[in-house]
Amino acid sequence: MTSENIVGKILFTEEQILKRANELGAQITEDYKGEKLILIGTLKGAIVWMADIMKRIDLDTEIDFIVASSYGKETTTSGIVKISKDVELDLDGKHVLIVEDIVDSGVTLQRLIEYFNERKAKSVKVCALLDKPSRRITDVKPHYTGFEVEDLFVIGYGLDYDQKYRNLPYISYLEP
Ligand code: IMP
Ligand code: MG
């Protein structure tokens, strides 16, 4: 991809995404009924989805954010994941729901699940806006998924290419 990137068609409109957020928010509220829940968003990509989903969860919740990036993910399931901004809340004995933009190889997510378990979370689940299962090299699977996408480089609604396009109010892709 060069500087003359071509933005493709709209895959999901804001209206479709909010409709899905309503459904998942209701499901999460039901599944964790009577429990407290910590939502952990992965910066920066998940911020738009985090804002949508948190408003639709009617539970006693706290939120936090983490910045994690993975290296070597193309070649190995044990790609190194670096955490450059950590979660500040105490996770001991708490239900954690990771709010992700997209699950691709799954390397980042696998490591985050391990890490929150090491921090003694009572449970760790994942709510991803997008799932790209064709690229998975780990056996992680989001418990709550907005939409599945084909093997395209998707952008918008928080997702970037080279830090751009995060502000698009819909999900599109870059023409291959
Ligand atoms: P994974 O560890 O390979 O699952 O990487 C997941 C992270 O890579 C996501 O949270 C995104 O930040 C980024 N990513 C993966 N695929 C895409 C894409 O199609 N568009 C934009 N970012 C992506
Ligand atoms: Mg991400």
mmCIF file with all atom_site columns, all heavy atoms in Angstrom, residues 18-32 49 52-59 97 127 144:
data_model
loop_
_atom_site.group_PDB
_atom_site.id
_atom_site.type_symbol
_atom_site.label_atom_id
_atom_site.label_alt_id
_atom_site.label_comp_id
_atom_site.label_asym_id
_atom_site.label_entity_id
_atom_site.label_seq_id
_atom_site.pdbx_PDB_ins_code
_atom_site.Cartn_x
_atom_site.Cartn_y
_atom_site.Cartn_z
_atom_site.occupancy
_atom_site.B_iso_or_equiv
_atom_site.pdbx_formal_charge
_atom_site.auth_seq_id
_atom_site.auth_comp_id
_atom_site.auth_asym_id
_atom_site.auth_atom_id
_atom_site.pdbx_PDB_model_num
ATOM 1   N N   . LEU A 1 18  ? -24.289 0.282   15.330 1.00 0.00 ? 18  LEU A N   1
ATOM 2   C CA  . LEU A 1 18  ? -25.025 0.606   16.557 1.00 0.00 ? 18  LEU A CA  1
ATOM 3   C C   . LEU A 1 18  ? -26.126 -0.416  16.838 1.00 0.00 ? 18  LEU A C   1
ATOM 4   O O   . LEU A 1 18  ? -26.396 -0.738  17.994 1.00 0.00 ? 18  LEU A O   1
ATOM 5   C CB  . LEU A 1 18  ? -25.594 2.028   16.481 1.00 0.00 ? 18  LEU A CB  1
ATOM 6   C CG  . LEU A 1 18  ? -24.530 3.133   16.464 1.00 0.00 ? 18  LEU A CG  1
ATOM 7   C CD1 . LEU A 1 18  ? -25.183 4.502   16.361 1.00 0.00 ? 18  LEU A CD1 1
ATOM 8   C CD2 . LEU A 1 18  ? -23.621 3.064   17.691 1.00 0.00 ? 18  LEU A CD2 1
ATOM 9   N N   . LYS A 1 19  ? -26.708 -0.940  15.792 1.00 0.00 ? 19  LYS A N   1
ATOM 10  C CA  . LYS A 1 19  ? -27.728 -1.982  15.957 1.00 0.00 ? 19  LYS A CA  1
ATOM 11  C C   . LYS A 1 19  ? -27.089 -3.229  16.590 1.00 0.00 ? 19  LYS A C   1
ATOM 12  O O   . LYS A 1 19  ? -27.639 -3.841  17.499 1.00 0.00 ? 19  LYS A O   1
ATOM 13  C CB  . LYS A 1 19  ? -28.333 -2.316  14.590 1.00 0.00 ? 19  LYS A CB  1
ATOM 14  C CG  . LYS A 1 19  ? -29.450 -3.315  14.634 1.00 0.00 ? 19  LYS A CG  1
ATOM 15  C CD  . LYS A 1 19  ? -30.233 -3.308  13.308 1.00 0.00 ? 19  LYS A CD  1
ATOM 16  C CE  . LYS A 1 19  ? -31.303 -4.389  13.286 1.00 0.00 ? 19  LYS A CE  1
ATOM 17  N NZ  . LYS A 1 19  ? -30.739 -5.726  12.983 1.00 0.00 ? 19  LYS A NZ  1
ATOM 18  N N   . ARG A 1 20  ? -25.919 -3.562  16.096 1.00 0.00 ? 20  ARG A N   1
ATOM 19  C CA  . ARG A 1 20  ? -25.193 -4.729  16.639 1.00 0.00 ? 20  ARG A CA  1
ATOM 20  C C   . ARG A 1 20  ? -24.756 -4.457  18.076 1.00 0.00 ? 20  ARG A C   1
ATOM 21  O O   . ARG A 1 20  ? -24.782 -5.356  18.925 1.00 0.00 ? 20  ARG A O   1
ATOM 22  C CB  . ARG A 1 20  ? -23.986 -5.009  15.737 1.00 0.00 ? 20  ARG A CB  1
ATOM 23  C CG  . ARG A 1 20  ? -23.316 -6.318  16.001 1.00 0.00 ? 20  ARG A CG  1
ATOM 24  C CD  . ARG A 1 20  ? -24.148 -7.503  15.549 1.00 0.00 ? 20  ARG A CD  1
ATOM 25  N NE  . ARG A 1 20  ? -23.497 -8.741  15.984 1.00 0.00 ? 20  ARG A NE  1
ATOM 26  C CZ  . ARG A 1 20  ? -24.042 -9.605  16.840 1.00 0.00 ? 20  ARG A CZ  1
ATOM 27  N NH1 . ARG A 1 20  ? -25.229 -9.428  17.319 1.00 0.00 ? 20  ARG A NH1 1
ATOM 28  N NH2 . ARG A 1 20  ? -23.365 -10.680 17.193 1.00 0.00 ? 20  ARG A NH2 1
ATOM 29  N N   . ALA A 1 21  ? -24.338 -3.217  18.360 1.00 0.00 ? 21  ALA A N   1
ATOM 30  C CA  . ALA A 1 21  ? -23.938 -2.843  19.726 1.00 0.00 ? 21  ALA A CA  1
ATOM 31  C C   . ALA A 1 21  ? -25.121 -3.005  20.683 1.00 0.00 ? 21  ALA A C   1
ATOM 32  O O   . ALA A 1 21  ? -24.948 -3.471  21.818 1.00 0.00 ? 21  ALA A O   1
ATOM 33  C CB  . ALA A 1 21  ? -23.404 -1.413  19.758 1.00 0.00 ? 21  ALA A CB  1
ATOM 34  N N   . ASN A 1 22  ? -26.321 -2.644  20.227 1.00 0.00 ? 22  ASN A N   1
ATOM 35  C CA  . ASN A 1 22  ? -27.529 -2.840  21.045 1.00 0.00 ? 22  ASN A CA  1
ATOM 36  C C   . ASN A 1 22  ? -27.699 -4.310  21.402 1.00 0.00 ? 22  ASN A C   1
ATOM 37  O O   . ASN A 1 22  ? -27.971 -4.655  22.554 1.00 0.00 ? 22  ASN A O   1
ATOM 38  C CB  . ASN A 1 22  ? -28.787 -2.384  20.286 1.00 0.00 ? 22  ASN A CB  1
ATOM 39  C CG  . ASN A 1 22  ? -28.958 -0.879  20.321 1.00 0.00 ? 22  ASN A CG  1
ATOM 40  O OD1 . ASN A 1 22  ? -28.449 -0.203  21.200 1.00 0.00 ? 22  ASN A OD1 1
ATOM 41  N ND2 . ASN A 1 22  ? -29.680 -0.358  19.341 1.00 0.00 ? 22  ASN A ND2 1
ATOM 42  N N   . GLU A 1 23  ? -27.548 -5.173  20.396 1.00 0.00 ? 23  GLU A N   1
ATOM 43  C CA  . GLU A 1 23  ? -27.744 -6.613  20.624 1.00 0.00 ? 23  GLU A CA  1
ATOM 44  C C   . GLU A 1 23  ? -26.685 -7.156  21.583 1.00 0.00 ? 23  GLU A C   1
ATOM 45  O O   . GLU A 1 23  ? -27.004 -7.858  22.536 1.00 0.00 ? 23  GLU A O   1
ATOM 46  C CB  . GLU A 1 23  ? -27.645 -7.375  19.288 1.00 0.00 ? 23  GLU A CB  1
ATOM 47  C CG  . GLU A 1 23  ? -28.785 -7.069  18.324 1.00 0.00 ? 23  GLU A CG  1
ATOM 48  C CD  . GLU A 1 23  ? -28.534 -7.572  16.890 1.00 0.00 ? 23  GLU A CD  1
ATOM 49  O OE1 . GLU A 1 23  ? -27.440 -8.137  16.618 1.00 0.00 ? 23  GLU A OE1 1
ATOM 50  O OE2 . GLU A 1 23  ? -29.428 -7.381  16.060 1.00 0.00 ? 23  GLU A OE2 1
ATOM 51  N N   . LEU A 1 24  ? -25.433 -6.819  21.329 1.00 0.00 ? 24  LEU A N   1
ATOM 52  C CA  . LEU A 1 24  ? -24.357 -7.357  22.172 1.00 0.00 ? 24  LEU A CA  1
ATOM 53  C C   . LEU A 1 24  ? -24.405 -6.769  23.579 1.00 0.00 ? 24  LEU A C   1
ATOM 54  O O   . LEU A 1 24  ? -24.158 -7.482  24.555 1.00 0.00 ? 24  LEU A O   1
ATOM 55  C CB  . LEU A 1 24  ? -22.985 -7.093  21.535 1.00 0.00 ? 24  LEU A CB  1
ATOM 56  C CG  . LEU A 1 24  ? -22.685 -7.910  20.268 1.00 0.00 ? 24  LEU A CG  1
ATOM 57  C CD1 . LEU A 1 24  ? -21.320 -7.521  19.711 1.00 0.00 ? 24  LEU A CD1 1
ATOM 58  C CD2 . LEU A 1 24  ? -22.721 -9.409  20.555 1.00 0.00 ? 24  LEU A CD2 1
ATOM 59  N N   . GLY A 1 25  ? -24.730 -5.482  23.687 1.00 0.00 ? 25  GLY A N   1
ATOM 60  C CA  . GLY A 1 25  ? -24.835 -4.846  25.007 1.00 0.00 ? 25  GLY A CA  1
ATOM 61  C C   . GLY A 1 25  ? -25.896 -5.542  25.851 1.00 0.00 ? 25  GLY A C   1
ATOM 62  O O   . GLY A 1 25  ? -25.688 -5.816  27.041 1.00 0.00 ? 25  GLY A O   1
ATOM 63  N N   . ALA A 1 26  ? -27.025 -5.869  25.232 1.00 0.00 ? 26  ALA A N   1
ATOM 64  C CA  . ALA A 1 26  ? -28.114 -6.556  25.941 1.00 0.00 ? 26  ALA A CA  1
ATOM 65  C C   . ALA A 1 26  ? -27.671 -7.959  26.359 1.00 0.00 ? 26  ALA A C   1
ATOM 66  O O   . ALA A 1 26  ? -27.956 -8.412  27.474 1.00 0.00 ? 26  ALA A O   1
ATOM 67  C CB  . ALA A 1 26  ? -29.344 -6.627  25.047 1.00 0.00 ? 26  ALA A CB  1
ATOM 68  N N   . GLN A 1 27  ? -26.952 -8.622  25.465 1.00 0.00 ? 27  GLN A N   1
ATOM 69  C CA  . GLN A 1 27  ? -26.491 -9.984  25.760 1.00 0.00 ? 27  GLN A CA  1
ATOM 70  C C   . GLN A 1 27  ? -25.473 -9.988  26.908 1.00 0.00 ? 27  GLN A C   1
ATOM 71  O O   . GLN A 1 27  ? -25.545 -10.823 27.814 1.00 0.00 ? 27  GLN A O   1
ATOM 72  C CB  . GLN A 1 27  ? -25.875 -10.586 24.491 1.00 0.00 ? 27  GLN A CB  1
ATOM 73  C CG  . GLN A 1 27  ? -25.705 -12.089 24.563 1.00 0.00 ? 27  GLN A CG  1
ATOM 74  C CD  . GLN A 1 27  ? -24.939 -12.617 23.355 1.00 0.00 ? 27  GLN A CD  1
ATOM 75  O OE1 . GLN A 1 27  ? -25.019 -12.053 22.250 1.00 0.00 ? 27  GLN A OE1 1
ATOM 76  N NE2 . GLN A 1 27  ? -24.186 -13.688 23.572 1.00 0.00 ? 27  GLN A NE2 1
ATOM 77  N N   . ILE A 1 28  ? -24.553 -9.034  26.875 1.00 0.00 ? 28  ILE A N   1
ATOM 78  C CA  . ILE A 1 28  ? -23.532 -8.934  27.928 1.00 0.00 ? 28  ILE A CA  1
ATOM 79  C C   . ILE A 1 28  ? -24.208 -8.614  29.266 1.00 0.00 ? 28  ILE A C   1
ATOM 80  O O   . ILE A 1 28  ? -23.887 -9.209  30.301 1.00 0.00 ? 28  ILE A O   1
ATOM 81  C CB  . ILE A 1 28  ? -22.467 -7.877  27.545 1.00 0.00 ? 28  ILE A CB  1
ATOM 82  C CG1 . ILE A 1 28  ? -21.640 -8.370  26.343 1.00 0.00 ? 28  ILE A CG1 1
ATOM 83  C CG2 . ILE A 1 28  ? -21.544 -7.563  28.730 1.00 0.00 ? 28  ILE A CG2 1
ATOM 84  C CD1 . ILE A 1 28  ? -20.837 -7.289  25.625 1.00 0.00 ? 28  ILE A CD1 1
ATOM 85  N N   . THR A 1 29  ? -25.171 -7.690  29.242 1.00 0.00 ? 29  THR A N   1
ATOM 86  C CA  . THR A 1 29  ? -25.902 -7.316  30.459 1.00 0.00 ? 29  THR A CA  1
ATOM 87  C C   . THR A 1 29  ? -26.580 -8.548  31.066 1.00 0.00 ? 29  THR A C   1
ATOM 88  O O   . THR A 1 29  ? -26.538 -8.767  32.281 1.00 0.00 ? 29  THR A O   1
ATOM 89  C CB  . THR A 1 29  ? -26.965 -6.241  30.126 1.00 0.00 ? 29  THR A CB  1
ATOM 90  O OG1 . THR A 1 29  ? -26.296 -5.112  29.555 1.00 0.00 ? 29  THR A OG1 1
ATOM 91  C CG2 . THR A 1 29  ? -27.733 -5.807  31.355 1.00 0.00 ? 29  THR A CG2 1
ATOM 92  N N   . GLU A 1 30  ? -27.148 -9.367  30.206 1.00 0.00 ? 30  GLU A N   1
ATOM 93  C CA  . GLU A 1 30  ? -27.832 -10.587 30.656 1.00 0.00 ? 30  GLU A CA  1
ATOM 94  C C   . GLU A 1 30  ? -26.816 -11.609 31.193 1.00 0.00 ? 30  GLU A C   1
ATOM 95  O O   . GLU A 1 30  ? -27.000 -12.177 32.273 1.00 0.00 ? 30  GLU A O   1
ATOM 96  C CB  . GLU A 1 30  ? -28.613 -11.168 29.461 1.00 0.00 ? 30  GLU A CB  1
ATOM 97  C CG  . GLU A 1 30  ? -29.400 -12.415 29.734 1.00 0.00 ? 30  GLU A CG  1
ATOM 98  C CD  . GLU A 1 30  ? -30.476 -12.230 30.798 1.00 0.00 ? 30  GLU A CD  1
ATOM 99  O OE1 . GLU A 1 30  ? -30.984 -11.093 30.923 1.00 0.00 ? 30  GLU A OE1 1
ATOM 100 O OE2 . GLU A 1 30  ? -30.794 -13.213 31.500 1.00 0.00 ? 30  GLU A OE2 1
ATOM 101 N N   . ASP A 1 31  ? -25.729 -11.806 30.453 1.00 0.00 ? 31  ASP A N   1
ATOM 102 C CA  . ASP A 1 31  ? -24.742 -12.830 30.828 1.00 0.00 ? 31  ASP A CA  1
ATOM 103 C C   . ASP A 1 31  ? -24.051 -12.537 32.158 1.00 0.00 ? 31  ASP A C   1
ATOM 104 O O   . ASP A 1 31  ? -23.653 -13.465 32.856 1.00 0.00 ? 31  ASP A O   1
ATOM 105 C CB  . ASP A 1 31  ? -23.669 -12.971 29.726 1.00 0.00 ? 31  ASP A CB  1
ATOM 106 C CG  . ASP A 1 31  ? -24.231 -13.590 28.448 1.00 0.00 ? 31  ASP A CG  1
ATOM 107 O OD1 . ASP A 1 31  ? -25.403 -14.004 28.456 1.00 0.00 ? 31  ASP A OD1 1
ATOM 108 O OD2 . ASP A 1 31  ? -23.487 -13.633 27.442 1.00 0.00 ? 31  ASP A OD2 1
ATOM 109 N N   . TYR A 1 32  ? -23.875 -11.263 32.496 1.00 0.00 ? 32  TYR A N   1
ATOM 110 C CA  . TYR A 1 32  ? -23.149 -10.902 33.730 1.00 0.00 ? 32  TYR A CA  1
ATOM 111 C C   . TYR A 1 32  ? -24.103 -10.366 34.808 1.00 0.00 ? 32  TYR A C   1
ATOM 112 O O   . TYR A 1 32  ? -23.653 -9.709  35.745 1.00 0.00 ? 32  TYR A O   1
ATOM 113 C CB  . TYR A 1 32  ? -22.081 -9.849  33.430 1.00 0.00 ? 32  TYR A CB  1
ATOM 114 C CG  . TYR A 1 32  ? -20.894 -10.349 32.631 1.00 0.00 ? 32  TYR A CG  1
ATOM 115 C CD1 . TYR A 1 32  ? -20.899 -10.301 31.250 1.00 0.00 ? 32  TYR A CD1 1
ATOM 116 C CD2 . TYR A 1 32  ? -19.754 -10.860 33.270 1.00 0.00 ? 32  TYR A CD2 1
ATOM 117 C CE1 . TYR A 1 32  ? -19.811 -10.738 30.500 1.00 0.00 ? 32  TYR A CE1 1
ATOM 118 C CE2 . TYR A 1 32  ? -18.663 -11.300 32.536 1.00 0.00 ? 32  TYR A CE2 1
ATOM 119 C CZ  . TYR A 1 32  ? -18.700 -11.237 31.149 1.00 0.00 ? 32  TYR A CZ  1
ATOM 120 O OH  . TYR A 1 32  ? -17.613 -11.669 30.427 1.00 0.00 ? 32  TYR A OH  1
ATOM 121 N N   . TRP A 1 49  ? -15.628 1.832   19.336 1.00 0.00 ? 49  TRP A N   1
ATOM 122 C CA  . TRP A 1 49  ? -16.433 0.665   19.699 1.00 0.00 ? 49  TRP A CA  1
ATOM 123 C C   . TRP A 1 49  ? -16.638 0.607   21.218 1.00 0.00 ? 49  TRP A C   1
ATOM 124 O O   . TRP A 1 49  ? -17.723 0.284   21.701 1.00 0.00 ? 49  TRP A O   1
ATOM 125 C CB  . TRP A 1 49  ? -15.746 -0.579  19.168 1.00 0.00 ? 49  TRP A CB  1
ATOM 126 C CG  . TRP A 1 49  ? -16.376 -1.896  19.489 1.00 0.00 ? 49  TRP A CG  1
ATOM 127 C CD1 . TRP A 1 49  ? -15.760 -2.968  20.071 1.00 0.00 ? 49  TRP A CD1 1
ATOM 128 C CD2 . TRP A 1 49  ? -17.715 -2.334  19.195 1.00 0.00 ? 49  TRP A CD2 1
ATOM 129 N NE1 . TRP A 1 49  ? -16.628 -4.017  20.171 1.00 0.00 ? 49  TRP A NE1 1
ATOM 130 C CE2 . TRP A 1 49  ? -17.837 -3.651  19.635 1.00 0.00 ? 49  TRP A CE2 1
ATOM 131 C CE3 . TRP A 1 49  ? -18.817 -1.719  18.599 1.00 0.00 ? 49  TRP A CE3 1
ATOM 132 C CZ2 . TRP A 1 49  ? -19.016 -4.390  19.514 1.00 0.00 ? 49  TRP A CZ2 1
ATOM 133 C CZ3 . TRP A 1 49  ? -19.998 -2.449  18.479 1.00 0.00 ? 49  TRP A CZ3 1
ATOM 134 C CH2 . TRP A 1 49  ? -20.092 -3.760  18.941 1.00 0.00 ? 49  TRP A CH2 1
ATOM 135 N N   . ASP A 1 52  ? -19.361 2.921   22.172 1.00 0.00 ? 52  ASP A N   1
ATOM 136 C CA  . ASP A 1 52  ? -20.676 2.388   21.793 1.00 0.00 ? 52  ASP A CA  1
ATOM 137 C C   . ASP A 1 52  ? -21.135 1.299   22.755 1.00 0.00 ? 52  ASP A C   1
ATOM 138 O O   . ASP A 1 52  ? -22.265 1.308   23.222 1.00 0.00 ? 52  ASP A O   1
ATOM 139 C CB  . ASP A 1 52  ? -20.621 1.770   20.381 1.00 0.00 ? 52  ASP A CB  1
ATOM 140 C CG  . ASP A 1 52  ? -20.536 2.814   19.285 1.00 0.00 ? 52  ASP A CG  1
ATOM 141 O OD1 . ASP A 1 52  ? -20.799 3.999   19.564 1.00 0.00 ? 52  ASP A OD1 1
ATOM 142 O OD2 . ASP A 1 52  ? -20.196 2.418   18.156 1.00 0.00 ? 52  ASP A OD2 1
ATOM 143 N N   . ILE A 1 53  ? -20.252 0.349   23.015 1.00 0.00 ? 53  ILE A N   1
ATOM 144 C CA  . ILE A 1 53  ? -20.666 -0.839  23.766 1.00 0.00 ? 53  ILE A CA  1
ATOM 145 C C   . ILE A 1 53  ? -20.874 -0.518  25.255 1.00 0.00 ? 53  ILE A C   1
ATOM 146 O O   . ILE A 1 53  ? -21.804 -1.011  25.880 1.00 0.00 ? 53  ILE A O   1
ATOM 147 C CB  . ILE A 1 53  ? -19.682 -2.028  23.508 1.00 0.00 ? 53  ILE A CB  1
ATOM 148 C CG1 . ILE A 1 53  ? -20.354 -3.361  23.791 1.00 0.00 ? 53  ILE A CG1 1
ATOM 149 C CG2 . ILE A 1 53  ? -18.392 -1.932  24.269 1.00 0.00 ? 53  ILE A CG2 1
ATOM 150 C CD1 . ILE A 1 53  ? -21.284 -3.820  22.712 1.00 0.00 ? 53  ILE A CD1 1
ATOM 151 N N   . MET A 1 54  ? -20.028 0.330   25.824 1.00 0.00 ? 54  MET A N   1
ATOM 152 C CA  . MET A 1 54  ? -20.145 0.600   27.275 1.00 0.00 ? 54  MET A CA  1
ATOM 153 C C   . MET A 1 54  ? -21.478 1.249   27.634 1.00 0.00 ? 54  MET A C   1
ATOM 154 O O   . MET A 1 54  ? -22.025 0.972   28.695 1.00 0.00 ? 54  MET A O   1
ATOM 155 C CB  . MET A 1 54  ? -18.957 1.423   27.788 1.00 0.00 ? 54  MET A CB  1
ATOM 156 C CG  . MET A 1 54  ? -18.888 2.811   27.247 1.00 0.00 ? 54  MET A CG  1
ATOM 157 S SD  . MET A 1 54  ? -17.360 3.651   27.755 1.00 0.00 ? 54  MET A SD  1
ATOM 158 C CE  . MET A 1 54  ? -17.861 4.283   29.342 1.00 0.00 ? 54  MET A CE  1
ATOM 159 N N   . LYS A 1 55  ? -22.007 2.087   26.740 1.00 0.00 ? 55  LYS A N   1
ATOM 160 C CA  . LYS A 1 55  ? -23.280 2.767   27.011 1.00 0.00 ? 55  LYS A CA  1
ATOM 161 C C   . LYS A 1 55  ? -24.449 1.790   26.998 1.00 0.00 ? 55  LYS A C   1
ATOM 162 O O   . LYS A 1 55  ? -25.538 2.116   27.443 1.00 0.00 ? 55  LYS A O   1
ATOM 163 C CB  . LYS A 1 55  ? -23.537 3.843   25.943 1.00 0.00 ? 55  LYS A CB  1
ATOM 164 C CG  . LYS A 1 55  ? -22.673 5.073   26.116 1.00 0.00 ? 55  LYS A CG  1
ATOM 165 C CD  . LYS A 1 55  ? -22.950 6.094   25.028 1.00 0.00 ? 55  LYS A CD  1
ATOM 166 C CE  . LYS A 1 55  ? -22.287 5.678   23.720 1.00 0.00 ? 55  LYS A CE  1
ATOM 167 N NZ  . LYS A 1 55  ? -22.418 6.702   22.667 1.00 0.00 ? 55  LYS A NZ  1
ATOM 168 N N   . ARG A 1 56  ? -24.230 0.616   26.430 1.00 0.00 ? 56  ARG A N   1
ATOM 169 C CA  . ARG A 1 56  ? -25.323 -0.356  26.277 1.00 0.00 ? 56  ARG A CA  1
ATOM 170 C C   . ARG A 1 56  ? -25.201 -1.521  27.245 1.00 0.00 ? 56  ARG A C   1
ATOM 171 O O   . ARG A 1 56  ? -25.909 -2.518  27.103 1.00 0.00 ? 56  ARG A O   1
ATOM 172 C CB  . ARG A 1 56  ? -25.339 -0.839  24.823 1.00 0.00 ? 56  ARG A CB  1
ATOM 173 C CG  . ARG A 1 56  ? -25.761 0.300   23.898 1.00 0.00 ? 56  ARG A CG  1
ATOM 174 C CD  . ARG A 1 56  ? -25.513 0.002   22.443 1.00 0.00 ? 56  ARG A CD  1
ATOM 175 N NE  . ARG A 1 56  ? -26.104 1.047   21.610 1.00 0.00 ? 56  ARG A NE  1
ATOM 176 C CZ  . ARG A 1 56  ? -25.509 2.195   21.309 1.00 0.00 ? 56  ARG A CZ  1
ATOM 177 N NH1 . ARG A 1 56  ? -24.285 2.454   21.762 1.00 0.00 ? 56  ARG A NH1 1
ATOM 178 N NH2 . ARG A 1 56  ? -26.116 3.095   20.572 1.00 0.00 ? 56  ARG A NH2 1
ATOM 179 N N   . ILE A 1 57  ? -24.284 -1.411  28.201 1.00 0.00 ? 57  ILE A N   1
ATOM 180 C CA  . ILE A 1 57  ? -24.132 -2.448  29.231 1.00 0.00 ? 57  ILE A CA  1
ATOM 181 C C   . ILE A 1 57  ? -24.678 -1.879  30.539 1.00 0.00 ? 57  ILE A C   1
ATOM 182 O O   . ILE A 1 57  ? -24.135 -0.917  31.074 1.00 0.00 ? 57  ILE A O   1
ATOM 183 C CB  . ILE A 1 57  ? -22.650 -2.875  29.375 1.00 0.00 ? 57  ILE A CB  1
ATOM 184 C CG1 . ILE A 1 57  ? -22.157 -3.511  28.066 1.00 0.00 ? 57  ILE A CG1 1
ATOM 185 C CG2 . ILE A 1 57  ? -22.487 -3.843  30.542 1.00 0.00 ? 57  ILE A CG2 1
ATOM 186 C CD1 . ILE A 1 57  ? -20.687 -3.855  28.049 1.00 0.00 ? 57  ILE A CD1 1
ATOM 187 N N   . ASP A 1 58  ? -25.771 -2.468  31.014 1.00 0.00 ? 58  ASP A N   1
ATOM 188 C CA  . ASP A 1 58  ? -26.438 -1.964  32.208 1.00 0.00 ? 58  ASP A CA  1
ATOM 189 C C   . ASP A 1 58  ? -26.014 -2.800  33.423 1.00 0.00 ? 58  ASP A C   1
ATOM 190 O O   . ASP A 1 58  ? -26.761 -3.641  33.905 1.00 0.00 ? 58  ASP A O   1
ATOM 191 C CB  . ASP A 1 58  ? -27.959 -2.017  31.983 1.00 0.00 ? 58  ASP A CB  1
ATOM 192 C CG  . ASP A 1 58  ? -28.715 -1.375  33.137 1.00 0.00 ? 58  ASP A CG  1
ATOM 193 O OD1 . ASP A 1 58  ? -28.092 -0.677  33.952 1.00 0.00 ? 58  ASP A OD1 1
ATOM 194 O OD2 . ASP A 1 58  ? -29.941 -1.606  33.218 1.00 0.00 ? 58  ASP A OD2 1
ATOM 195 N N   . LEU A 1 59  ? -24.761 -2.566  33.856 1.00 0.00 ? 59  LEU A N   1
ATOM 196 C CA  . LEU A 1 59  ? -24.184 -3.304  34.975 1.00 0.00 ? 59  LEU A CA  1
ATOM 197 C C   . LEU A 1 59  ? -23.322 -2.333  35.770 1.00 0.00 ? 59  LEU A C   1
ATOM 198 O O   . LEU A 1 59  ? -23.054 -1.216  35.325 1.00 0.00 ? 59  LEU A O   1
ATOM 199 C CB  . LEU A 1 59  ? -23.254 -4.427  34.464 1.00 0.00 ? 59  LEU A CB  1
ATOM 200 C CG  . LEU A 1 59  ? -23.862 -5.591  33.682 1.00 0.00 ? 59  LEU A CG  1
ATOM 201 C CD1 . LEU A 1 59  ? -22.733 -6.397  33.042 1.00 0.00 ? 59  LEU A CD1 1
ATOM 202 C CD2 . LEU A 1 59  ? -24.714 -6.478  34.592 1.00 0.00 ? 59  LEU A CD2 1
ATOM 203 N N   . LEU A 1 97  ? -13.749 -7.913  30.705 1.00 0.00 ? 97  LEU A N   1
ATOM 204 C CA  . LEU A 1 97  ? -14.146 -8.048  29.312 1.00 0.00 ? 97  LEU A CA  1
ATOM 205 C C   . LEU A 1 97  ? -13.234 -7.139  28.481 1.00 0.00 ? 97  LEU A C   1
ATOM 206 O O   . LEU A 1 97  ? -13.263 -5.911  28.617 1.00 0.00 ? 97  LEU A O   1
ATOM 207 C CB  . LEU A 1 97  ? -15.618 -7.653  29.125 1.00 0.00 ? 97  LEU A CB  1
ATOM 208 C CG  . LEU A 1 97  ? -16.195 -7.830  27.721 1.00 0.00 ? 97  LEU A CG  1
ATOM 209 C CD1 . LEU A 1 97  ? -16.157 -9.299  27.271 1.00 0.00 ? 97  LEU A CD1 1
ATOM 210 C CD2 . LEU A 1 97  ? -17.635 -7.311  27.656 1.00 0.00 ? 97  LEU A CD2 1
ATOM 211 N N   . CYS A 1 127 ? -14.803 -8.943  23.691 1.00 0.00 ? 127 CYS A N   1
ATOM 212 C CA  . CYS A 1 127 ? -15.853 -8.401  22.828 1.00 0.00 ? 127 CYS A CA  1
ATOM 213 C C   . CYS A 1 127 ? -15.167 -7.626  21.707 1.00 0.00 ? 127 CYS A C   1
ATOM 214 O O   . CYS A 1 127 ? -14.602 -6.563  21.944 1.00 0.00 ? 127 CYS A O   1
ATOM 215 C CB  . CYS A 1 127 ? -16.761 -7.475  23.629 1.00 0.00 ? 127 CYS A CB  1
ATOM 216 S SG  . CYS A 1 127 ? -17.968 -6.607  22.613 1.00 0.00 ? 127 CYS A SG  1
ATOM 217 N N   . TYR A 1 144 ? -17.824 -12.384 22.118 1.00 0.00 ? 144 TYR A N   1
ATOM 218 C CA  . TYR A 1 144 ? -18.847 -11.516 21.534 1.00 0.00 ? 144 TYR A CA  1
ATOM 219 C C   . TYR A 1 144 ? -18.221 -10.846 20.312 1.00 0.00 ? 144 TYR A C   1
ATOM 220 O O   . TYR A 1 144 ? -17.174 -10.202 20.434 1.00 0.00 ? 144 TYR A O   1
ATOM 221 C CB  . TYR A 1 144 ? -19.274 -10.433 22.525 1.00 0.00 ? 144 TYR A CB  1
ATOM 222 C CG  . TYR A 1 144 ? -19.761 -10.987 23.848 1.00 0.00 ? 144 TYR A CG  1
ATOM 223 C CD1 . TYR A 1 144 ? -18.907 -11.046 24.952 1.00 0.00 ? 144 TYR A CD1 1
ATOM 224 C CD2 . TYR A 1 144 ? -21.069 -11.444 23.985 1.00 0.00 ? 144 TYR A CD2 1
ATOM 225 C CE1 . TYR A 1 144 ? -19.349 -11.559 26.165 1.00 0.00 ? 144 TYR A CE1 1
ATOM 226 C CE2 . TYR A 1 144 ? -21.515 -11.960 25.197 1.00 0.00 ? 144 TYR A CE2 1
ATOM 227 C CZ  . TYR A 1 144 ? -20.653 -12.010 26.287 1.00 0.00 ? 144 TYR A CZ  1
ATOM 228 O OH  . TYR A 1 144 ? -21.090 -12.517 27.474 1.00 0.00 ? 144 TYR A OH  1
#
